[in-house]
Amino acid sequence: MSLDPELFRRPVRLPSAPPITVSVLERGAERPRRTMVFLHGFGGSARQWAYQLEKFSARDRVIALDLRGHGASSAPDGRYDMPALVGDVEHALKALSVRRPLILVGHSFGAAVAVEYALRHPRGVDRLILIAASGEYPLALPYRVALAIPLPILNTVYPWIRKGLGARPAVLRRIYRDALGPWKGWEKLTKIHVPTLVIRGHRDRVFGRQYMEEVSRRIAGCTDVNVGASGHMVMLERHEAVNRAIERFLDGTGDRRPAARRPEAGPYPWRVHYDSGVLPSVTVPPIRLDHFLEVSAARHPGRAALVFEDGAMSYRDLDREANRFGQALQHLGVLPGDRVMLLLPNLPQAVVCFYGTLRAGAVAVFATPLSEPEELLRQVRDSGAEVLVTLTRFHDAAQQAMHRAGLRHVVLTGVGDYLPWAKGLAFRIGRARREGDAPPNPVPSGFHMLRPLLASQPARAPDIQRDPESLSVLQYTGGTTDVPRGVMLSHRNLVANTLQVRQWIPDLREGEEVVLSVLPFSHIYGLTTAMSVPISLAGTMVILSNFVTPQVLRAIRRHRPTLFPGVPTMYTALNDDPGIRRYRIDSIRACISGAAPLPVEVQEAFERLTRGRLVEGYGLTEASPVTHANPLHGTRRPGSIGLPLPSTDAKIVDFTTGRDLRPGKVGELAVRGPQVMMGYWNRERETRAALRRGGWLLTGDLARMDPDGFFHILARKKEMILAGRYQVYPRDVEEILHEHPKVREAAVVGIARRRWPLQRVKAYVVLRQGESVTEQELIRLCRGRLKAYAVPWTVEFVSELPKSFVGKVLRRVLLESDADSPQADLEARA
């Protein structure tokens, strides 16, 4: 699925007199084989090369320039002759640090510029590709008459014809006078000695067929390709044929250099298993995360960005509300880089305030509404947050944070603020009073109500310097094994992971997908998969504040979501609902499960119900978060976390020496890619321990890699059970327990006692409703499938497992509860 070329636009300032800025569209592979430079023609723009940029950026660095006066480039006074145009190309390529020789591609009059450049730099051009080219460019009579019309009249009609032109009338007249009209290149074509490809279409009438046919006769040894039914804009009208011709020309036997390796060769065995359409790498455009919202609002302004309680907000309105919140933060004195804490469940205002925070250049700090008050205070102090945005029901805790943690401002919002009119009124009259959601009266000093605050601000974006490398989100880790630490994620980290996840599902459709957004936005998994990815697609988010099975099923039946990122406990709950088939859940096409291991039984049952694809993925807060996933349509390994995502490298290292281990060996998983964090907030020692030389992130997870590149997570290093000289991995035991039809959930931990020389395996089991099974029956099941040292010593039946707010089992709590048990107390005193 194609990306908007505007995501890859960047300005390049040229050292000319007077200085001008050339706008560039640039995409490229991580390790490009070569550089391709594209030049548009008279009245064109760099956007005309969108298909070629997408096609060739998988392996190459591709650059399309807006010539002076065209597209988004500046239009300086002075001459627009050939020396000036070629000089702009030279200066731009130097500013972009382009290594030569390069592949130079020109369309129409851009081919003339390419010829001039190639003659000026004969060793700097490896291949020359001329599309719809001519040796001279005599404009047809209607065009010449149009250019002769007085400029005031042309400027008056320009707004109605601008979609077909990349330059204003004044610029077109200058180029025609200074460059296009005078240029005669027939003799120059005979002096070209680099391998050349000429592409044309036989319906091109702009400059005359005889001129274009003559081009290939003038260039010695050139390759001539007629793509057939096409007019002058060949690379747009027959882009697939043009791309094939270019590919054959560049990768054929005439290439001076040996053919590049296939992407799956060498150290990337997993790439051969990618689904068709999934490229081995992604180009990370130089944009901020909130630019996705800006683009979607421009391309699909009327489409519903989010749906909450049957009320919808369009992309146009969401963009404006985010701008207003950004302006409000500036009005409150928030500066770029200041931290704004968002303590909100999944609500429309969570999306508004997150993107508004980014628009103000501030850093969003997410906290979960389930945080203990003292942990919340600790995170406010640790982050240095200036502003807290939260629900009115939490205003007492917010006052405590203001007095004890140094907050300057608190912005309060109610659940009913973005409800449809009737539901909002009913909520304010009834439920708000009962649930403590009414605003404080009077509003304390330093407190602000969100809706009046937004209404007082303009809807234009704040004027700030936008740095895509700057800190975007400060996300605290889940704290399942340690005190939560602040992970610093840049705009580039989050943009990269958004595009990686988006590319992993190759049949996504811009402006058509509907995403069930029930994962908490305050968790990095929900932020990326349930908010950032849908907004980058101009998809509709169906927002639910909590996972309540009947509410989720009703939302599925009403809104027909196509994508459902979730966690295993969500899929388990849906599988267990006896009336699930009544809710038409077969609209769900793709699901990626994360945050915890996905039992194979749960995966297979859910796929039978939806006929969609549910695959297990893997990630961590420090990687924005997704690094691995199973292919959706091709080869997949149930029980594994799948393959590294595009532009992601992974390996297994020895967790004592750090040396690389070969496939099949168990060690610590290390990952590298553009999504890996900047570091831990105010924790340099922990940052140095986690981030190693070469950009590798040590995940703390024990894993192994198959010879063909599939990875298997076995346990957290701190959760591995040391049964004497043997190592027991909780997931191995849990998968066996899940095979029992009466088991709903299972978690395995290692229990140590003072009188035991080793850890012993203990299983906690939640049974399906109304079912019963004995401890001995489950232990017998494990004995038949596991080594003796891995068989649980005891099974404890519980009504539920302790989980984080995103559904991850808190083994730490299980260990603490076991340590507090009467049996453990007796043994400790024995």
Side-chain angles (χ1 to χ4, degrees):
M1 185 202 58
S2 62
L3 294 173
D4 184 357
E6 293 303 315
L7 296 176
F8 303 93
R9 187 177 293 283
R10 58 182 290 195
V12 177
R13 191 173 177 83
L14 306 186
S16 56
I20 68 170
T21 299
V22 168
S23 185
V24 172
L25 298 178
E26 179 180 1
R27 297 182 65 172
E30 292 175 89
R31 299 172 181 84
R33 302 177 300 173
R34 57 204 171 201
T35 299
M36 302 177 69
V37 176
F38 295 82
L39 304 176
H40 64 76
F42 179 64
S45 70
R47 284 186 63 93
Q48 294 171 353
W49 298 107
Y51 292 114
Q52 287 68 45
L53 294 181
E54 182 176 10
K55 169 68 177 178
F56 295 102
S57 62
R59 295 187 181 183
D60 305 318
R61 182 186 183 190
V62 289
I63 299 168
L65 303 173
D66 275 329
L67 299 177
R68 62 165 62 193
H70 289 70
S73 293
S74 57
D77 293 330
R79 295 187 62 82
Y80 281 68
D81 55 16
M82 188 63 78
L85 297 174
V86 175
D88 289 348
V89 175
E90 292 171 331
H91 289 310
L93 298 185
K94 183 176 181 181
L96 293 167
S97 301
V98 172
R99 296 179 62 182
R100 298 187 296 183
L102 51 85
I103 311 298
L104 191 56
V105 187
H107 170 256
S108 189
F109 181 65
V113 180
V115 167
E116 293 282 351
Y117 182 94
L119 292 176
R120 192 181 293 190
H121 304 280
R123 295 186 179 181
V125 177
D126 185 59
R127 296 294 177 91
L128 184 63
I129 301 172
L130 308 178
I131 302 175
S134 176
E136 58 183 290
Y137 294 89
L139 280 182
L141 181 61
Y143 298 110
R144 295 201 304 270
V145 171
L147 287 176
I149 296 173
L151 279 179
I153 299 176
L154 288 177
N155 290 332
T156 302
V157 301
Y158 177 69
W160 284 272
I161 61 173
R162 63 189 304 173
K163 286 188 177 180
L165 291 175
R168 297 189 67 86
V171 169
L172 296 178
R173 181 176 287 182
R174 286 180 180 179
I175 290 185
Y176 178 66
R177 179 195 64 199
D178 296 345
L180 186 138
W183 195 74
K184 298 295 185 288
W186 296 115
E187 290 302 317
K188 296 179 180 182
L189 294 177
T190 64
K191 298 177 182 178
I192 294 175
H193 300 296
V194 300
T196 303
L197 169 67
V198 175
I199 301 175
R200 54 195 171 86
H202 72 250
R203 291 183 180 174
D204 191 340
R205 301 288 188 268
V206 174
F207 295 110
R209 184 187 299 176
Q210 71 276 14
Y211 291 106
M212 298 182 183
E213 292 174 347
E214 183 65 20
V215 169
S216 59
R217 290 194 284 265
R218 294 290 182 117
I219 303 174
C222 83
T223 301
D224 182 52
V225 175
N226 186 338
V227 297
S230 173
H232 192 60
M233 304 302 294
V234 190
M235 68 285 199
L236 291 173
E237 299 170 34
R238 296 294 313 281
H239 61 89
E240 292 179 342
V242 168
N243 290 347
R244 285 195 300 270
I246 293 175
E247 199 166 33
R248 285 195 298 266
F249 177 66
L250 296 182
D251 296 333
T253 56
D255 201 335
R256 294 178 182 176
R257 290 160 302 211
R261 280 182 170 184
R262 290 178 55 82
E264 62 270 18
Y268 308 109
W270 48 81
R271 290 182 176 175
V272 72
H273 299 290
Y274 280 6
D275 282 336
S276 176
V278 177
L279 300 176
S281 64
V282 297
T283 305
V284 184
I287 60 172
R288 292 164 56 91
L289 184 63
D290 53 294
H291 189 66
F292 284 128
L293 174 57
E294 183 180 333
V295 171
S296 291
R299 290 164 66 99
H300 304 274
R303 178 169 171 79
L306 54 88
V307 174
F308 178 69
E309 292 287 339
D310 298 331
M313 181 186 294
S314 70
Y315 270 99
R316 179 192 298 108
D317 290 340
L318 176 58
D319 189 55
R320 290 173 177 173
E321 290 287 274
N323 286 342
R324 287 190 175 98
F325 188 69
Q327 294 277 7
L329 290 178
Q330 285 194 328
H331 180 73
L332 295 177
V334 172
L335 300 174
D338 287 348
R339 273 75 64 203
V340 175
M341 179 170 281
L342 306 177
L343 180 64
L344 295 167
N346 282 20
L347 295 169
Q349 43 268 58
V351 184
V352 168
C353 294
F354 172 64
Y355 282 97
T357 297
L358 302 186
R359 290 280 164 87
V363 178
V365 184
F366 276 107
T368 168
L370 300 180
S371 297
E372 295 294 329
E374 287 304 316
E375 176 59 24
L376 176 63
L377 286 172
R378 189 192 73 81
Q379 291 182 17
V380 173
R381 293 193 192 100
D382 184 66
S383 65
E386 301 274 337
V387 178
L388 171 66
V389 185
T390 190
L391 293 176
T392 50
R393 69 181 63 170
F394 299 141
H395 73 266
D396 289 337
Q399 260 187 317
Q400 289 289 321
M402 180 172 277
H403 295 318
R404 295 173 56 189
L407 281 172
R408 291 171 48 205
H409 298 279
V410 173
V411 179
L412 296 178
T413 181
V415 172
D417 280 358
Y418 283 92
L419 287 174
W421 182 85
K423 285 189 176 182
L425 179 62
F427 181 87
R428 284 188 287 273
I429 292 173
R431 234 174 84 197
R433 301 292 176 184
R434 293 196 302 272
E435 298 183 9
D437 208 43
N441 188 17
V443 177
S445 175
F447 280 61
H448 314 269
M449 301 307 298
L450 178 64
R451 293 309 295 266
L453 187 65
L454 295 181
S456 66
Q457 301 300 321
R460 65 178 182 274
D463 184 17
I464 62 163
Q465 194 71 26
R466 295 175 175 266
D467 180 9
E469 301 290 341
S470 63
L471 181 61
S472 167
V473 169
L474 190 58
Q475 182 73 51
Y476 282 87
T477 56
T480 55
T481 56
D482 290 307
V483 174
R485 292 173 288 186
V487 174
M488 297 188 292
L489 300 173
S490 68
H491 285 273
R492 186 174 188 273
N493 293 151
L494 293 168
V495 167
N497 206 227
T498 297
L499 295 178
Q500 289 168 317
V501 174
R502 176 173 162 169
Q503 185 169 305
W504 196 249
I505 310 175
D507 59 347
L508 289 177
R509 303 155 299 183
E510 182 179 322
E512 297 183 34
E513 304 295 347
V514 179
V515 182
L516 188 64
S517 295
V518 65
L519 281 173
F521 297 148
S522 53
H523 188 276
I524 188 61
Y525 180 36
L527 176 65
T528 293
T529 62
M531 186 195 296
S532 296
V533 170
I535 283 182
S536 77
L537 286 166
T540 297
M541 295 177 285
V542 178
I543 293 178
L544 296 172
S545 298
N546 298 291
F547 187 92
V548 179
T549 303
Q551 294 177 7
V552 170
L553 288 172
R554 285 195 294 270
I556 292 173
R557 181 170 59 188
R558 182 173 181 83
H559 301 292
R560 308 289 290 158
T562 57
L563 306 174
F564 175 21
V567 296
T569 52
M570 294 178 180
Y571 305 119
T572 299
L574 294 179
N575 288 345
D576 290 347
D577 190 279
I580 188 172
R581 294 186 184 275
R582 300 196 308 266
Y583 290 91
R584 299 173 63 211
I585 69 170
D586 58 350
S587 66
I588 298 172
R589 201 172 75 250
C591 307
I592 296 180
S593 175
L598 175 67
V600 176
E601 296 293 324
V602 173
Q603 177 188 33
E604 292 177 351
F606 189 81
E607 288 190 338
R608 284 197 301 270
L609 290 168
T610 63
R611 300 190 187 91
R613 302 288 278 182
L614 168 61
V615 297
E616 182 173 356
Y618 167 84
L620 63 166
T621 305
E622 291 86 342
S624 305
V626 189
T627 64
H628 292 67
N630 271 275
L632 277 160
H633 305 294
T635 303
R636 57 180 181 168
R637 301 284 166 81
S640 81
I641 60 170
L643 313 168
L645 263 59
S647 292
T648 304
D649 201 357
K651 62 182 180 180
I652 305 298
V653 300
D654 187 283
F655 44 81
T656 54
T657 66
R659 64 184 178 84
D660 295 358
L661 297 178
R662 65 178 182 270
K665 294 293 184 179
V666 174
E668 184 171 3
L669 174 63
V671 297
R672 178 174 64 180
Q675 72 271 49
V676 170
M677 67 174 180
M678 303 167 71
Y680 292 113
W681 178 258
N682 293 333
R683 292 179 180 239
E684 293 185 10
R685 187 175 65 181
E686 286 93 334
T687 298
R688 288 195 299 270
L691 292 176
R692 297 298 175 88
R693 182 177 298 176
W696 289 98
L697 169 67
L698 298 180
T699 65
D701 283 315
L702 297 180
R704 60 179 171 81
M705 183 185 80
D706 292 344
D708 48 1
F710 283 83
F711 286 75
H712 300 256
I713 295 293
L714 304 174
R716 293 287 294 172
K717 265 199 311 190
K718 296 180 180 180
E719 293 172 354
M720 182 176 64
I721 301 169
L722 299 175
R725 60 191 181 92
Y726 300 105
Q727 297 170 350
V728 179
Y729 305 112
R731 178 163 186 169
D732 291 345
V733 184
E734 291 163 2
E735 286 285 359
I736 302 302
L737 292 169
H738 272 107
E739 289 180 7
H740 196 289
K742 296 181 180 180
V743 172
R744 187 171 188 266
E745 293 180 291
V748 170
V749 297
I751 301 297
R753 294 285 186 267
R754 211 178 267 181
R755 63 190 182 90
W756 293 347
L758 46 82
Q759 285 184 309
R760 300 175 76 172
V761 179
K762 180 175 181 178
Y764 291 84
V765 170
V766 179
L767 296 178
R768 298 186 186 278
Q769 189 172 3
E771 300 288 359
S772 63
V773 66
T774 65
E775 178 183 17
Q776 289 71 28
E777 186 177 344
L778 294 180
I779 291 176
R780 279 198 302 272
L781 172 67
C782 292
R783 281 181 182 150
R785 301 288 302 281
L786 297 168
K787 297 290 187 182
Y789 59 81
V791 174
W793 156 71
T794 184
V795 176
E796 182 174 332
F797 296 98
V798 294
S799 59
E800 61 179 356
L801 297 174
K803 298 186 184 74
S804 68
F805 72 103
V806 79
K808 185 177 293 187
V809 174
L810 298 175
R811 299 178 199 273
R812 166 177 51 83
V813 176
L814 292 175
L815 291 170
E816 290 169 357
S817 66
D818 184 86
D820 294 337
S821 67
Q823 179 66 25
D825 188 54
L826 286 172
E827 291 175 354
R829 285 182 289 175

